[in-house]
Amino acid sequence: MATAAIIGGGVIGGGWAARFLLNGWDVRVFDPDPEAERKIGEVLANARRALPGLSDQAMPEEGTLSFCETLEDAVNGVQWVQESVSERLELKHKVFRQIQDHEAGSVPIGSSTSGFKPSELAEGARDPEAIMVTHPFNPVYLLPLVEIVAHPGTAPGFVEDAKEMLSGIGMYPLIVRQEIDAHIADRFLEAVWREALWLVKDGVATTEEIDNAIRYGFGIRWAQMGLFETYRVAGGEAGMKHFMAQFGPALKWPWTKLMDVPEFTDELVDLIAGQSDAQSGAYSIRELERIRDNNLVAMMRALKAQDWGAGALLNKADAARKSDPEDLKQKIVTVARAVPLDWTDYNGHMNEARYLQAFGDATDRFMEIIGCDADYIASGGSYFTAETHIRHIDEVHAGARIEVRTQVLLGEGKKMHLFHEMFEGERLLATAEHMLIHVSLETRKASVPAAHIEAKLAAIAADHGELPKPEGAGAAVGKRS
């Protein structure tokens, strides 16, 4: 098991700790702030609630979190160091010197800085080749983008190590081609921020109106297509060239104040702070964080269904986690995952439709195991569900790790009779009984499956026939077993 050292335990450091920890790394935190453990604990609570639900497969077992009294204890023997201290260059230099004085060997050191270039960070370091920028976005435990910026003296091996390690915890490493102030993404954010300050200062719009312009308009488009692909679509059938020809001249019009910054006076600060309080003051910061996480998870899961953008990245991670069952003679684990936030109802429980989805996913996985996969279905055969009976036995909440174990009650000819049991640990949550019929997709009538599928299903059914009949099998609605 790999170990990461997190130096600085604020919002960003806490997000890094959660990202590593929930992806199976051990994490050591060093932060002299006496409140660091509490702050990271609150970030971690949000992450445990939100992150596992992005995956349709079981995530690794959570690593071990420890808080270190000294920086030396934190960095000695680790495989990754992430620096997230305050944005003061002299402080970062001091921290890098201390890290490299105490680490055993030279390991990659990533800085969360949004403002400094890596060559500035590496000045005076013992091993400057190990230092690079690895700039994330908040919340670090949910948003996948991390900008990796090297300097001319960075060892190429460290950049590759960083890319591999950060990909391994579900992030999207964007290699920035050259050092540049504020890297890539923050250049956009700073431009929007400056323009927003002018709009508020000049009385054109309030903070709430500006936020609404973003979240009801282009913000939604950007989440799934970015900037250039959005404009390519806006160009119609003629594409980007037409868009540039039509809208390019607008760049010469005196609309914007992007190159100027309004004077940052107390009056401007009070104006913006007052409008922000009126807009969002009804919620605590923790409440806003949970609202934000709920929305991010729901949007990213929607993108998963389209296999697009951040959703495609999540699907790739799920595919890497999927494994074939080792013993088909016993009940087969067909689903192992956490309950996502958007699977719960007004009571905070997983709602009825999601039980059916989980059991449907279990049936789909079992079909893959016997060979009725996407290629087979494309060739013209599949199983259709003819009857389903679900028993709801105990409640389950968002974030719970659930497992579905499947037993074959009948597998011969055109019929496949499955019994699923859903557990949290060893606590039985629900059962589902499914009767399926093999169908020709050409005739839409019942048909015998391909020989290799029929043989594998029959073999599993024979082995499972030696298992005890599961409690509740054959029960009707309202019947007590």
Side-chain angles (χ1 to χ4, degrees):
M1 183 175 290
T3 303
I6 307 299
I7 311 302
V11 171
I12 299 300
W16 274 115
R19 169 71 78 164
F20 277 106
L21 194 70
L22 295 182
N23 278 278
W25 284 56
D26 287 339
V27 172
R28 303 179 197 158
V29 176
F30 173 72
D31 190 325
D33 180 1
E35 294 289 299
E37 190 165 350
R38 176 190 63 79
K39 292 176 182 177
I40 285 185
E42 292 178 356
V43 173
L44 187 54
N46 282 348
R48 287 185 176 123
R49 175 177 172 271
L51 176 62
L54 284 177
S55 178
D56 294 327
Q57 303 293 326
M59 294 186 66
E61 289 297 318
E62 185 174 311
T64 300
L65 175 66
S66 55
F67 291 85
C68 300
E69 293 292 328
T70 66
L71 188 143
E72 179 179 4
D73 291 339
V75 303
N76 192 15
V78 301
Q79 286 71 53
W80 180 267
V81 179
Q82 185 69 33
E83 171 271 312
S84 301
V85 302
S86 300
E87 290 285 87
R88 303 200 321 269
L89 188 58
E90 70 280 4
L91 174 61
K92 291 183 182 291
H93 284 163
K94 178 181 177 182
V95 167
F96 289 140
R97 285 194 295 270
Q98 291 177 338
I99 290 171
Q100 293 190 328
D101 282 346
H102 296 305
E103 67 185 6
S106 186
V107 300
I109 302 173
S111 174
S112 300
T113 183
S114 58
F116 295 116
K117 292 181 284 192
S119 58
E120 296 174 310
L121 299 174
E123 291 174 356
R126 187 195 72 196
D127 296 316
E129 69 275 7
I131 296 172
M132 70 196 85
V133 168
T134 49
H135 174 239
F137 289 81
N138 191 40
V140 182
Y141 53 80
L142 285 183
L143 296 185
L145 180 62
V146 55
E147 296 173 310
I148 299 179
V149 194
H151 60 84
T154 304
F158 282 119
V159 174
E160 287 304 311
D161 286 349
K163 184 177 179 180
E164 181 178 352
M165 289 182 186
L166 296 174
S167 296
I169 59 172
M171 304 192 83
Y172 178 78
L174 177 62
I175 307 297
V176 180
R177 295 173 180 270
Q178 56 185 281
E179 291 187 276
I180 183 173
D181 291 324
H183 323 315
I184 295 175
D186 272 354
R187 295 288 286 249
F188 292 110
L189 294 179
E190 287 296 328
V192 173
W193 174 243
R194 287 194 298 270
E195 190 73 1
L197 292 180
W198 276 116
L199 291 172
V200 173
K201 181 180 183 298
D202 291 346
V204 175
T206 66
T207 59
E208 184 172 11
E209 290 164 349
I210 290 169
D211 284 351
N212 287 343
I214 294 170
R215 62 184 174 186
Y216 295 138
F218 62 85
I220 300 173
R221 296 188 313 201
W222 284 4
Q224 51 88 39
M225 274 193 174
L227 179 66
F228 285 99
E229 202 161 42
T230 292
Y231 285 157
R232 179 184 179 86
V233 174
E237 293 182 0
M240 182 60 85
K241 280 192 174 182
H242 175 70
F243 175 83
M244 294 293 287
Q246 185 174 4
F247 294 100
L251 299 177
K252 298 179 180 179
W253 298 346
W255 283 352
T256 183
K257 295 180 177 179
L258 287 179
M259 302 310 295
D260 298 316
V261 182
E263 187 179 355
F264 214 66
T265 63
D266 289 343
E267 290 76 15
L268 178 59
V269 171
D270 290 342
L271 176 63
I272 290 175
Q275 290 184 5
S276 179
D277 288 344
Q279 174 186 352
S280 306
Y283 302 100
S284 70
I285 293 299
R286 292 291 170 251
E287 286 172 327
L288 286 172
E289 287 175 343
R290 287 189 288 272
I291 291 167
R292 174 202 65 192
D293 290 357
N294 290 352
N295 293 335
L296 287 174
V297 168
M299 288 188 287
M300 291 169 75
R301 286 182 56 75
L303 290 170
K304 284 188 77 173
Q306 302 302 316
D307 196 33
W308 197 262
L313 186 70
L314 292 168
N315 284 333
K316 184 178 178 181
D318 280 352
R321 293 189 182 110
K322 184 183 289 187
S323 59
D324 293 328
E326 296 180 359
D327 187 1
L328 297 179
K329 295 183 178 182
Q330 302 299 317
K331 295 178 181 179
I332 301 168
V333 175
T334 47
V335 168
R337 59 163 308 147
V339 175
L341 293 170
D342 59 346
W343 278 23
T344 57
D345 60 17
Y346 47 86
N347 291 316
H349 306 151
M350 191 165 85
N351 67 40
E352 289 88 343
R354 300 304 187 175
Y355 283 88
L356 179 58
Q357 180 172 337
F359 287 128
D361 290 345
T363 295
D364 288 346
R365 178 64 181 131
F366 183 78
M367 287 169 57
E368 289 180 347
I369 290 169
I370 63 172
C372 186
D373 54 15
D375 289 339
Y376 179 77
I377 293 170
S379 74
S382 186
Y383 282 93
F384 284 9
T385 304
E387 188 173 352
T388 296
H389 179 220
I390 296 178
R391 297 185 307 150
H392 301 273
I393 295 169
D394 206 346
E395 65 185 34
V396 62
H397 300 86
R401 285 176 174 250
I402 59 172
E403 183 176 277
V404 176
R405 304 168 194 170
T406 299
Q407 182 174 345
V408 180
L409 301 183
L410 175 68
E412 60 183 30
K414 306 169 186 176
K415 296 181 179 180
M416 181 166 69
H417 187 183
L418 304 179
F419 193 84
H420 303 300
E421 296 170 301
M422 182 189 296
F423 291 88
E424 181 186 13
E426 292 305 314
R427 183 169 65 94
L428 182 64
L429 304 173
T431 69
E433 194 166 351
H434 289 179
M435 176 63 77
L436 299 100
I437 306 296
H438 188 273
V439 172
S440 164
L441 297 179
E442 181 178 355
T443 66
R444 316 304 286 186
K445 295 181 179 180
S447 65
V448 176
H452 69 284
I453 291 177
E454 187 176 19
K456 189 159 189 179
L457 176 59
I460 296 173
D463 288 330
H464 285 198
E466 302 296 320
L467 302 174
K469 182 180 179 181
E471 186 274 327
V477 174
K479 175 183 175 182
R480 293 189 176 276
S481 304

